[in-house]
Amino acid sequence: MSYMLGMLLGAIILGDLSDRIGRRNTVAVASSIVGVCGIVSATAPNYPVFLMGRFFTGAGAMGMYQITYVLLVEFVGAKYRTTLGMLIPVPFSVGEAATGVLAYFIRDWRYLQAAVTVPALLLISYKWVMPESVRWLVTQNRTDEAIASLRLMAKTNGKELTEDSVAFIREKPACPATELFTTGSSQADLVGHEATEAPQEKPKPRKKTVLDLFKTPNLRKRALTMFFCWAVVTFVYYGLSQNSGNIGGNIFISFILTMVIEIPSYIFTVFVLDKMGRKGTLMFVFLLGGVSCIIAGTLPKDYHSAIMSLSLVGKFGASAAFSCVYIYASELFPTEYRGMGVGCCSMFARVGGTLAPLIVTLFEKQPAVAPVTFGVLACCSGLLAITLPETTGTRLPQTIAESENFGSDQRTLDCCLCLTQHRSATSDK
């Protein structure tokens, strides 16, 4: 629980820090926190010091994952952004499985704690060996550095970067990155108005707050639904990971298999997300994982192989749902509140992650309770997702007003395939 609460702190503070001092510097800071606080936990003289070390290790680890994810999205072109954004958890699960392998050979918890955290110090080298995000550099008015990074990318890819192709960055360096790199914008749109035009005084924009997400009925229902889904998917994901030791059989094999099963789940999601749609995929993987967990919890204890197999299917569903909710939430919220909406989802996710170890520990002697609880909540989330609109292949809402009307032309059971067929039939008529 201490580690999960630390992740909540890291998501808030280090995310903001990356906007202030840059992505590379923040990765270096987060890596330093993980390495140093991991050593603190490993050498802790008492339990309170150990908890403090775990708390800040969680904060640093969340920052490392979150900022490297941002770096990936900001470096990759739009054509591959969705695919690579959904595949970045693959090395994450490889690292989780490696923890199980290390635990098999390192039985002293202090040495194990150091072995899984000290290597994070190597990522401090990102500050020197990795280029800074071009988008962030542009927002900071550091156009020369941004163009130098672009030239390095072009040279690496065997391309030529002409002066004309970066002229718009020099002409309007203070333009927000979201405007500079919006897909489909023309170069003239990015440059803005001619300098000869008389500047007009713009009204002072109203300050946006989280409460704005709850002022209109449709956005309110969708926000609450996504908050619940994020909390549940994190609860189930971490709960199944930590419950792997209660399944029976070899604890090391159970843990490693529970982590490795995530890899095919992410690959599966990449292939079906656009075909089944966000809603169809999310409902399917939630219900798949939920039903598997419920059956696993009701089987007799001596059915080790069946319980293990069903638990792996449950983890498969939870992992796939985890990768799905990220992109689904970013498309459901209107552009002007997208960052705020996804941030709130992440906060609710940490609530689920904090409760997961508590449930696993409280019902350690009643092994059926935890998986059944995970399964019931996952099924509830899968059924609740039916109320959400499909976002695949649609024009995403920019404002709250557009968000209220978004999905009004869809039926409740529409997913990507159904939606395409429905629109084709409507156009034929």
Side-chain angles (χ1 to χ4, degrees):
M1 293 178 67
S2 176
Y3 185 88
M4 293 296 169
L5 290 173
M7 291 179 70
L8 173 61
L9 178 70
I12 298 172
I13 294 181
L14 293 177
D16 178 70
L17 187 65
S18 71
D19 290 334
R20 297 175 182 272
I21 67 173
R23 316 308 191 206
R24 289 185 310 181
N25 291 332
T26 306
V27 169
V29 171
S31 303
S32 302
I33 293 173
V34 172
V36 172
C37 293
I39 295 174
V40 170
S41 298
T43 59
N46 51 55
Y47 190 58
V49 174
F50 173 78
L51 284 182
M52 181 188 69
R54 291 296 292 163
F55 177 85
F56 286 105
T57 300
M62 186 61 189
M64 285 172 58
Y65 182 83
Q66 182 173 292
I67 306 308
T68 50
Y69 185 92
V70 169
L71 267 173
L72 173 73
V73 171
E74 292 183 339
F75 269 130
V76 177
K79 182 179 179 181
Y80 302 103
R81 190 173 300 144
T82 299
T83 300
L84 290 181
M86 295 180 64
L87 286 177
I88 195 174
V90 170
F92 181 86
S93 54
V94 171
E96 290 178 310
T99 302
V101 175
L102 285 173
Y104 180 81
F105 293 102
I106 306 174
R107 300 302 176 94
D108 186 295
W109 71 266
R110 290 184 183 273
Y111 289 117
L112 179 62
Q113 188 70 215
V116 298
T117 53
V118 171
L121 295 173
L122 296 174
L123 296 184
I124 297 176
S125 62
Y126 272 29
K127 179 175 173 60
W128 297 280
V129 302
M130 191 171 193
E132 181 57 88
S133 166
V134 175
R135 298 168 190 266
W136 182 80
L137 289 172
V138 171
T139 64
Q140 301 300 305
N141 234 356
R142 295 161 62 174
T143 54
D144 290 337
E145 294 177 59
I147 293 173
S149 291
L150 288 173
R151 294 192 187 283
L152 176 62
M153 293 178 203
K155 182 179 179 181
T156 303
N157 292 321
K159 306 290 183 180
E160 182 180 357
L161 188 71
T162 64
E163 187 64 29
D164 291 340
S165 61
V166 295
F168 72 97
I169 298 180
R170 294 189 185 279
E171 291 178 27
K172 196 174 182 181
C175 181
T178 52
E179 293 179 20
L180 281 169
F181 296 92
T182 300
T183 303
S185 296
S186 67
Q187 201 163 353
D189 293 333
L190 298 173
V191 173
H193 298 292
E194 296 294 331
T196 54
E197 292 185 11
Q200 297 180 357
E201 184 177 351
K202 296 182 179 180
K204 188 176 181 180
R206 184 180 64 85
K207 185 178 181 180
K208 300 182 179 70
T209 68
V210 176
L211 296 179
D212 294 341
L213 299 176
F214 302 94
K215 290 183 177 179
T216 55
N218 285 336
L219 184 57
R220 178 169 59 247
K221 288 186 289 186
R222 292 165 189 171
L224 292 174
T225 299
M226 288 308 300
F227 294 164
F228 181 76
C229 287
W230 276 63
V232 169
V233 72
T234 311
F235 178 69
V236 177
Y237 175 88
Y238 285 107
L240 287 173
S241 298
Q242 295 169 17
N243 194 53
S244 59
N246 300 332
I247 294 175
N250 188 295
I251 185 175
F252 299 102
I253 294 178
S254 298
F255 180 84
I256 293 171
L257 288 177
T258 302
M259 302 307 159
V260 171
I261 194 64
E262 296 180 24
I263 298 176
S265 76
Y266 299 134
I267 297 174
F268 166 82
T269 310
V270 169
F271 282 106
V272 305
L273 196 60
D274 287 335
K275 296 179 180 178
M276 291 180 60
R278 282 33 166 174
K279 181 163 72 171
T281 303
L282 187 62
M283 290 177 62
F284 174 75
V285 294
F286 257 136
L287 293 174
L288 174 68
V291 171
S292 300
C293 288
I294 293 173
I295 297 175
T298 55
L299 289 176
K301 297 180 181 178
D302 52 346
Y303 282 55
H304 296 307
S305 298
I307 293 174
M308 184 70 217
S309 300
L310 288 167
S311 298
L312 290 177
V313 175
K315 185 62 181 298
F316 179 97
S319 302
F322 218 137
S323 61
C324 185
V325 293
Y326 265 94
I327 189 169
Y328 203 2
S330 66
E331 292 176 344
L332 274 178
F333 290 105
T335 300
E336 59 182 358
Y337 287 90
R338 187 160 295 144
M340 187 180 296
V342 175
C344 289
C345 288
S346 182
M347 290 183 64
F348 277 89
R350 302 283 75 79
V351 173
T354 303
L355 293 176
L358 180 64
I359 297 297
V360 172
T361 305
L362 283 178
F363 298 102
E364 189 173 359
K365 295 183 179 180
Q366 294 87 30
V369 175
V372 170
T373 302
F374 300 148
V376 170
L377 288 175
C379 288
C380 290
S381 295
L383 295 175
L384 194 59
I386 200 173
T387 63
L388 299 172
E390 180 56 66
T391 59
T392 307
T394 62
R395 180 182 179 276
L396 301 182
Q398 304 292 320
T399 64
I400 287 183
E402 290 183 13
S403 181
E404 279 302 291
N405 295 323
F406 182 70
S408 59
D409 60 336
Q410 300 179 20
R411 299 166 298 183
T412 303
L413 294 177
D414 274 342
C415 62
C416 182
L417 296 177
C418 308
L419 186 59
T420 303
Q421 294 172 359
H422 174 59
R423 285 177 175 170
S424 297
T426 303
S427 61
D428 290 341
K429 291 180 181 179

